[in-house]
Amino acid sequence: MTDKTDKPIAFLDLIAQQKRLGPGLRQRVDAVFDHCHFVMGPEVFELEKRLAEWCGAKECVGVSSGTDALQIVMMAENIGRGDAVFLPAFTYTATAEVPLVLGATPVFVDVDPNTFQIDPQHLRARIRAVRDAGKLTPRAIVGVDLFGQPAPWAELRAIAQEEGLFLLADCAQSFGADLEGKPLGREATATTLSFFPSKPLGGYGDGGAILTDDAERADLYRSLRTHGEGKTRYQVLRTGMNGRLDTIQAAVLLAKLDGFKQELARRDAIAQAYDAGLKDVVQTPVRVPNSKSAWAIYAVLLKDPAERAPLQARLKEKGVPSAIYYPLPLHKQPAYETHHDGAALPVSEDLATRILALPIHPELTDAEVARVIAAVRG
Ligand SMILES: *Cc1c(COP(=O)(O)O)cnc(C)c1O
């Protein structure tokens, strides 16, 4: 069968998504145009309340992006020059960029070869090595819920406590996921979210949020997102940033939250269909026990790195998109190479050569899912 006549499948289909969301989305956005409170309008506070309720967090602070969320949390802890921030080498660049922007040093940790999540044993070794070297002060651990599955939170909490380190959850890819029957969002002292359009809860532009149970920290985050302001606008208490969540994005996200549970269920059904259709030809995603992924990314592992380029080319010919998250572990990126202490991170390096992501957005039809499976099987 030639698939040439078939319409190419989208990796992310925001047009179909808007059609599915229907008039509710436009009504939400029109309401913002009616009241014109484009900065810190009522939708921002409504969204913060809904997100906190979703996971039972006490506080939610809407911010301008997932990256700015990480920065505000680290600024609140005074992380800067001479500090070490431990994070996985196999993640999106933002996780490592923020410590460097603040003058701190990212210390890369290897990941589990099956779940791709940060390896707690290697984390312990890395903390010990930094302490022994005596150059940097260990300050924080950033756990990342890679691809939508939870990081090993119980172990990360234990290590953070033993070592006296701040624990931050980078939940940019996993809002909507569950661990032990509870929604993610309260696994660390602070949790950061991203609403970039391709994330499971994606807006129509940049956006992010910070979740915490700590009221004092939440106040600090609110101050930092608005130039470090105090009780009045013209009282500047600390160096902050312009890090607010846009009202229009909050309106879009409120409309999207209404159907988010169904979207998560659809992503999970697609993942299960891929598992069943592909598990004999590639390594399908190994699940973190007692969890439910938000399926930001469905990534398979090929046996041999040499298979990847031909497979991608064949998929493309059949109108099936694929993507590589991530083609390089962060310690091999030009921007970070010079900040890396040279520790071996073999799992991250190996994964980068063999991983391949397939489309998993909720607009995919069953026929398209079947086409993806058939194309991968060749
Ligand atoms: C997307 C992402 C971020 C950054 O979020 P933005 O909203 O794009 O700034 C941070 N960490 C991880 C793991 C991400 O996937």
Side-chain angles (χ1 to χ4, degrees):
M1 189 184 100
T2 112
D3 296 308
K4 287 249 165 66
T5 51
D6 286 340
K7 200 168 114 245
I9 295 171
F11 201 78
L12 170 69
D13 194 342
L14 296 176
I15 294 172
Q17 183 188 84
Q18 277 187 56
K19 282 196 189 127
R20 177 175 51 80
L21 291 169
L25 171 68
R26 296 303 168 106
Q27 280 160 16
R28 275 289 189 179
V29 175
D30 282 346
V32 179
F33 279 96
D34 287 342
H35 65 56
C36 287
H37 293 295
F38 294 117
V39 178
M40 296 310 289
E43 285 80 2
V44 173
F45 300 99
E46 189 183 342
L47 179 70
E48 288 177 342
K49 191 159 169 278
R50 294 260 312 262
L51 294 172
E53 279 167 9
W54 179 282
C55 56
K58 291 207 175 74
E59 306 271 354
C60 176
V61 181
V63 297
S64 38
S65 69
T67 306
D68 289 344
L70 290 167
Q71 182 165 332
I72 288 170
V73 170
M74 290 191 208
M75 283 170 84
E77 303 305 316
N78 278 316
I79 287 168
R81 207 163 298 284
D83 292 340
V85 177
F86 298 85
L87 51 96
F90 197 61
T91 178
Y92 183 61
T93 178
T95 320
E97 164 186 40
V98 171
L100 280 169
V101 164
L102 296 176
T105 302
V107 177
F108 298 105
V109 179
D110 216 350
V111 298
D112 181 281
N114 293 306
T115 64
F116 316 148
Q117 307 298 325
I118 193 168
D119 174 353
Q121 220 176 319
H122 193 236
L123 172 62
R124 281 184 196 278
R126 296 292 273 146
I127 296 169
R128 207 174 317 121
V130 168
R131 289 208 196 278
D132 288 349
K135 287 200 191 107
L136 298 169
T137 309
R139 287 293 310 283
I141 300 166
V142 186
V144 177
D145 300 318
L146 200 76
F147 298 164
Q149 293 212 86
W153 288 115
E155 285 159 289
L156 295 184
R157 273 194 299 271
I159 295 170
Q161 192 162 18
E162 278 164 37
E163 299 280 352
L165 303 179
F166 181 77
L167 183 61
L168 197 170
D170 181 345
C171 212
Q173 301 183 1
S174 63
F175 189 69
D178 284 358
L179 180 59
E180 267 134 30
K182 283 185 284 190
L184 290 188
R186 298 181 68 201
E187 302 300 325
T189 307
T191 295
T192 59
L193 311 183
S194 165
F195 309 127
F196 186 79
S198 63
K199 310 285 176 171
L201 181 62
Y204 291 159
D206 281 308
I210 308 166
L211 298 161
T212 183
D213 285 343
D214 182 335
E216 262 177 56
R217 281 197 167 88
D219 281 344
L220 197 46
Y221 302 155
R222 289 188 184 99
S223 168
L224 287 167
R225 80 172 161 188
T226 311
H227 306 289
E229 77 175 17
K231 289 253 179 301
T232 67
R233 180 172 302 177
Y234 298 104
Q235 186 185 31
V236 185
L237 299 180
R238 53 186 68 84
T239 309
M241 55 196 280
N242 180 354
R244 292 170 296 234
L245 175 65
D246 200 274
T247 309
I248 289 178
Q249 290 311 323
V252 169
L253 290 161
L254 282 164
K256 290 200 63 182
L257 260 183
D258 292 335
F260 188 45
K261 280 225 158 80
Q262 289 89 307
E263 287 192 12
L264 290 165
R266 178 67 189 149
R267 283 177 188 268
D268 196 55
I270 295 168
Q272 290 186 39
Y274 282 161
D275 287 347
L278 295 173
K279 64 176 189 290
D280 57 330
V281 292
V282 291
Q283 183 181 316
T284 51
V286 174
R287 307 297 197 269
V288 169
N290 303 317
S291 76
K292 257 178 117 165
S293 180
W295 292 115
I297 288 166
Y298 183 95
V300 300
L301 264 190
L302 310 178
K303 275 209 183 64
D304 180 349
E307 293 172 47
R308 189 165 65 183
L311 174 59
Q312 277 202 289
R314 197 175 76 226
L315 294 178
K316 193 171 175 208
E317 209 171 284
K318 297 183 176 185
V320 173
S322 61
I324 300 173
Y325 304 110
Y326 297 94
L328 274 181
L330 293 181
H331 66 290
K332 294 281 184 189
Q333 287 285 2
Y336 304 127
E337 242 176 342
T338 53
H339 300 282
H340 179 51
D341 57 11
L345 302 162
V347 179
S348 299
E349 288 176 27
D350 171 52
L351 291 178
T353 67
R354 296 192 291 125
I355 204 151
L356 189 68
L358 302 175
I360 192 163
H361 62 80
E363 321 308 326
L364 288 173
T365 63
D366 289 346
E368 287 175 324
V369 172
R371 263 178 71 196
V372 174
I373 293 169
V376 175
R377 297 192 68 86

